Amino acid sequence: ELKVEQNPLFLSMQEGKNYTIYCNYSTTSDRLYWYRQDPGKSLESLFVLLSNGAVKQEGRLMASLDTKARLSTLHITAAVHDLSATYFCAAVGYMGGGADGLTFGKGTHLIIQP
Amino acid sequence: GAGVSQSPRYKVAKRGQDVALRCDPISGHVSLFWYQQALGQGPEFLTYFQNEAQLDKSGLPSDRFFAERPEGSVSTLKIQRTQQEDSAVYLCASSLVRMVNTEAFFGQGTRLTVV
């Protein structure tokens, strides 16, 4: 059964600083997502990573994937307050009944202080 | 429609009441998923449909939970005799084909509060 672990689960940082969120998954996965969720809102897809060594960047966020280490990272550069949210990684794998679906980490609650 | 639509957005139910939550996936999407997200947690898989066939219901927490997609488009998640532990946001997602091949899109969710 695929398991996904994120760390840290809570992160408070100052504007202008850099930080990295880590996502480990337990078994082979063909697709890794990063989502953003604002309070009371649904999931906004940020990145889809498909292959080993994949790197994607959007603004101050950059995501990478190492399939050999089963590790993805989300790096925040020069954080700004607007990036405060909860970030989830999710890996595609087989669910208990055999269908492929997303298994989510517990999320990283990110607070960026002015 | 343009995206995955869920209704109602909010539902308050008295303990023991039955509820039905609706999901309209993106037109033409074969795969449909239901997830449950408890407060402060990540979404947890409940069940999966490929067209009208429910291929995986391993995540349904009890036999009080039932899902259907009779015509392969709209899906309904029904919870019978609701309990307080059922309070959560229920998210629906759809993808064009299998999730391993295409991106999944999530609806805005239904927030269920059982009092």
Side-chain angles (χ1 to χ4, degrees):
Chain A
E1 182 183 344
L2 177 61
K3 294 190 186 300
V4 177
E5 290 190 2
Q6 276 181 249
N7 70 85
L9 298 182
F10 297 94
L11 178 56
S12 179
M13 55 191 293
Q14 287 188 315
E15 279 191 329
K17 300 291 187 183
N18 303 332
Y19 211 83
T20 300
I21 300 170
Y22 297 89
C23 174
N24 289 92
Y25 53 98
S26 60
T27 64
T28 300
S29 176
D30 294 319
R31 190 174 279 249
L32 192 294
Y33 289 81
W34 283 96
Y35 288 94
R36 169 179 173 150
Q37 189 175 42
D38 291 292
K41 306 291 186 183
S42 189
L43 297 163
E44 174 190 354
S45 178
L46 296 174
F47 301 107
V48 180
L49 302 168
L50 302 177
S51 59
N52 188 43
V55 177
K56 290 194 174 180
Q57 183 161 5
E58 180 75 33
R60 300 175 188 273
L61 301 177
M62 183 174 70
S64 65
L65 179 62
D66 180 343
T67 58
K68 294 180 181 177
R70 296 178 186 158
L71 171 68
S72 181
T73 61
L74 180 66
H75 187 73
I76 303 158
T77 301
V80 292
H81 179 68
D82 287 352
L83 291 178
S84 296
T86 299
Y87 293 85
F88 292 97
C89 68
V92 175
Y94 288 110
M95 301 289 105
D100 51 77
L102 284 170
T103 297
F104 284 82
K106 291 187 182 298
T108 296
H109 303 274
L110 175 63
I111 297 172
I112 299 171
Q113 314 271 12
Chain B
V4 179
S5 177
Q6 292 186 245
S7 61
R9 289 290 313 280
Y10 304 92
K11 176 70 179 178
V12 178
K14 291 185 178 179
R15 192 171 59 179
Q17 185 179 353
D18 298 349
V19 298
L21 313 179
R22 177 187 169 106
C23 173
D24 278 275
I26 294 172
S27 179
H29 277 198
V30 166
S31 296
L32 186 147
F33 299 80
W34 284 97
Y35 283 81
Q36 179 191 58
Q37 186 176 20
L39 187 64
Q41 300 295 314
E44 301 260 352
F45 171 79
L46 292 177
T47 187
Y48 164 66
F49 289 87
Q50 183 175 306
N51 294 308
E52 69 279 2
Q54 188 176 21
L55 298 187
D56 192 332
K57 52 182 182 180
S58 61
L60 296 177
S62 78
D63 58 7
R64 296 185 296 103
F65 286 71
F66 172 76
E68 60 183 6
R69 193 187 185 196
E71 297 179 0
S73 56
V74 171
S75 177
T76 303
L77 176 66
K78 298 179 180 178
I79 309 172
Q80 298 176 323
R81 304 181 304 282
T82 52
Q83 303 294 317
Q84 282 195 314
E85 63 262 27
D86 301 335
S87 296
V89 174
Y90 291 85
L91 294 166
C92 175
S94 72
S95 62
L96 185 59
V97 287
R98 289 177 60 200
M99 199 180 271
V100 73
N101 300 114
T102 57
E103 186 169 358
F105 297 88
F106 281 83
Q108 291 198 301
T110 294
R111 182 177 297 275
L112 172 65
T113 303
V114 181
V115 297

